[in-house]
């Protein structure tokens, strides 16, 4: 089984079991933040294909999943890796996300077109510090 398929099947279980910085049990109503690192075969056509797939996919998430609070996809050129930052309202939102047909379709295309270079890495995150500044003039 491909890592993408395993990842999709395990997201909700991982979210529920993710250790917290303060050693408390995660609550099903706490926001869930995670980052994924997706390594793509380092060929321009593969990177371009993944870029298009992510653009289309994130739009579907935006339109259909109001409990996904943030979803960003970035690309690191030197290592040919896409890095996502995702924040879900709660465990239920993450669980819903992992069961969408468009996620299943994305994973199937990635597998079928052999776009992945190495197993995907998932990091569940606890906030430490930071800010978001929209539209700084």
């Amino acid at each position: 089984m491909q890592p993408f398929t395993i990842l999709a099947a395990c997201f909700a279980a991982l979210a529920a079991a993710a250790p917290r910085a303060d050693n408390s049990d995660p609550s099903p109503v706490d926001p869930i933040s995670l980052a994924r690192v997706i390594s793509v075969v380092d060929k321009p056509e593969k990177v371009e294909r993944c870029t298009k797939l992510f653009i289309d996919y994130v739009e579907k998430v935006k339109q259909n999943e109001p409990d996904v609070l943030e979803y960003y996809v970035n690309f690191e050129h030197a290592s040919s890796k896409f890095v996502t930052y995702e924040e879900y309202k709660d465990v239920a939102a993450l669980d819903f996300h992992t069961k969408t047909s468009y996620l299943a379709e994305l994973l199937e295309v990635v597998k079928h077109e052999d776009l992945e270079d190495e197993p995907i890495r998932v990091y569940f995150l606890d906030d430490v510090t930071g800010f978001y500044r929209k539209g700084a003039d």
Side-chain angles (χ1 to χ4, degrees):
M1 190 178 310
Q2 291 291 325
F4 261 98
T5 307
I6 294 168
L7 175 68
C10 294
F11 255 153
L14 287 172
R20 311 301 285 187
D22 63 2
N23 293 322
S24 65
D25 290 331
S27 165
V29 296
D30 285 342
I32 304 290
S33 297
L34 64 94
R36 287 188 279 169
V37 178
I38 301 108
S39 183
V40 177
V41 174
D42 192 13
K43 294 183 180 176
E45 65 275 10
K46 301 276 187 177
V47 171
E48 184 177 322
R49 177 68 172 136
C50 282
T51 300
K52 182 181 180 338
L53 288 170
F54 275 125
I55 290 169
D56 293 344
Y57 173 73
V58 171
E59 187 59 33
K60 291 174 185 174
V61 172
K62 183 179 179 182
Q63 296 299 320
N64 296 296
E65 299 182 58
D67 291 337
V68 175
L69 306 177
E70 294 184 61
Y71 202 113
Y72 295 97
V73 179
N74 298 284
F75 185 70
E76 200 284 314
H77 291 270
S79 62
S80 193
K81 292 184 187 330
F82 286 91
V83 179
T84 70
Y85 173 78
E86 306 163 34
E87 186 169 331
Y88 299 86
K89 179 181 173 187
D90 51 27
V91 171
L94 178 58
D95 186 50
F96 179 85
H97 175 78
T98 64
K99 295 176 181 174
T100 61
S101 61
Y102 42 91
L103 176 58
E105 291 165 9
L106 173 67
L107 299 176
E108 184 56 36
V109 169
V110 167
K111 178 181 174 183
H112 178 72
E113 295 183 18
D114 197 30
L115 299 173
E116 178 183 47
D117 192 32
E118 62 185 48
I120 197 168
R121 295 184 181 166
V122 180
Y123 303 91
F124 287 88
L125 309 170
D126 283 322
D127 291 336
V128 175
T129 187
F131 67 91
Y132 172 76
R133 182 177 295 139
K134 185 175 180 177
D137 293 344

